[in-house]
Amino acid sequence: MPSFYSERTAEYTLTPKFLTLIEPLGDAVPIYFSARREDTHVAFESLHGESFHLVAFFARRPKINAAESLIIEGKINQRLFRVAKCASELGIQTLCGISLTNNIFKQSLAESLWFDISQVKLEDDLRFICEINKELKLNKFHGQIQPTNHSTIISSIANSRVLDWAEVTSIMRELPKLADDSPPSHFMFLSQTWRFRPLYFVIRRK
């Protein structure tokens, strides 16, 4: 099925929804990590002595065959499972999200599904089908893994590794490198490190 907007566009709507979901855990901020920004001396000094949880997040885009379709397809790429495996070894969770919308302007109105892929061991891309109603809510889900409910997400993040800011920035810097199994390239845009760099959520523990 064809897509009708990009993952980056999907991030813009899913990010505030995910921030609301994890609000019970403490203050949270989404970060698109940039070396020599979040890991400067000023950043370290301003967050000295505090502790955090870290989540790697990937937005997924819905796909439809025709306008206003009530059948939506989603896909979680095999390479994201590799990122999740490496993230799990570092003690952090990896989640994906998708809006069940058939119109780019209805993203905020549509129900969102969340998938914790931290422990998923698959060697292929995972596709799933969602049957939705006219209110853009899920009627039926067909897929190899099931969406994760809110309380399970909260619990899994709360039980993940507790980090200081130095550990947070180190993981954000190193995870894409660890998960990138593509051949070295002189061109950044050909690298899987660039293509599958997650959005991070850093949660300051209460």
Side-chain angles (χ1 to χ4, degrees):
M1 291 186 183
S3 302
F4 53 102
Y5 60 86
S6 70
E7 278 94 355
R8 181 56 61 86
T9 299
E11 278 183 7
Y12 295 142
T13 296
L14 289 167
T15 293
K17 289 186 176 185
F18 194 73
L19 285 170
T20 299
L21 190 161
I22 60 178
E23 207 169 54
L25 292 167
D27 296 333
V29 63
I31 293 179
Y32 190 79
F33 180 73
S34 175
R36 297 185 296 279
R37 295 294 185 272
E38 288 84 8
D39 60 353
T40 60
H41 288 301
V42 172
F44 280 106
E45 290 172 3
S46 65
L47 297 168
H48 176 72
E50 300 197 53
S51 57
F52 310 89
H53 293 295
L54 180 63
V55 177
F57 180 83
F58 291 98
R60 303 284 81 207
R61 62 184 187 269
K63 302 178 182 181
I64 55 177
N65 267 334
E68 307 302 318
S69 172
L70 298 181
I71 302 294
I72 289 176
E73 180 183 287
K75 181 175 75 170
I76 303 175
N77 304 74
Q78 183 273 335
R79 287 186 178 275
L80 302 192
F81 298 128
R82 178 173 172 79
V83 175
K85 176 180 181 294
C86 294
S88 182
E89 291 170 355
L90 294 170
I92 70 169
Q93 302 296 110
T94 303
L95 286 104
C96 298
I98 188 171
S99 291
L100 299 182
T101 185
N102 52 23
N103 186 300
I104 193 171
F105 281 96
K106 295 180 180 178
Q107 293 180 77
S108 60
L109 301 175
E111 181 178 357
S112 297
L113 300 184
W114 313 100
F115 301 87
D116 188 338
I117 63 169
S118 305
Q119 305 301 324
V120 177
K121 296 178 175 61
L122 290 176
E123 299 298 326
D124 299 300
D125 294 345
L126 173 68
R127 288 177 169 79
F128 54 87
I129 298 292
C130 303
E131 299 180 32
I132 62 171
N133 59 30
K134 291 183 179 179
E135 287 71 44
L136 307 179
K137 308 296 182 185
L138 181 67
N139 276 342
K140 291 184 180 179
F141 180 86
H142 309 277
Q144 194 170 346
I145 65 171
Q146 292 295 309
T148 306
N149 63 47
H150 291 193
S151 60
T152 300
I153 292 172
I154 294 295
S155 177
S156 64
I157 296 173
N159 290 311
S160 66
R161 181 180 171 190
V162 178
L163 307 160
D164 61 25
W165 192 251
E167 292 168 322
V168 167
T169 55
S170 175
I171 290 173
M172 290 192 294
R173 183 189 306 107
E174 297 302 321
L175 178 57
K177 299 176 187 176
L178 293 173
D180 184 17
D181 60 354
S182 60
S185 171
H186 295 297
F187 300 99
M188 184 86 172
F189 61 85
L190 296 178
S191 170
Q192 297 300 334
T193 301
W194 181 83
R195 288 185 61 203
F196 294 107
R197 184 180 295 274
L199 173 69
Y200 296 98
F201 289 88
V202 183
I203 304 157
R204 183 165 57 182
R205 298 177 77 232
K206 293 181 177 179

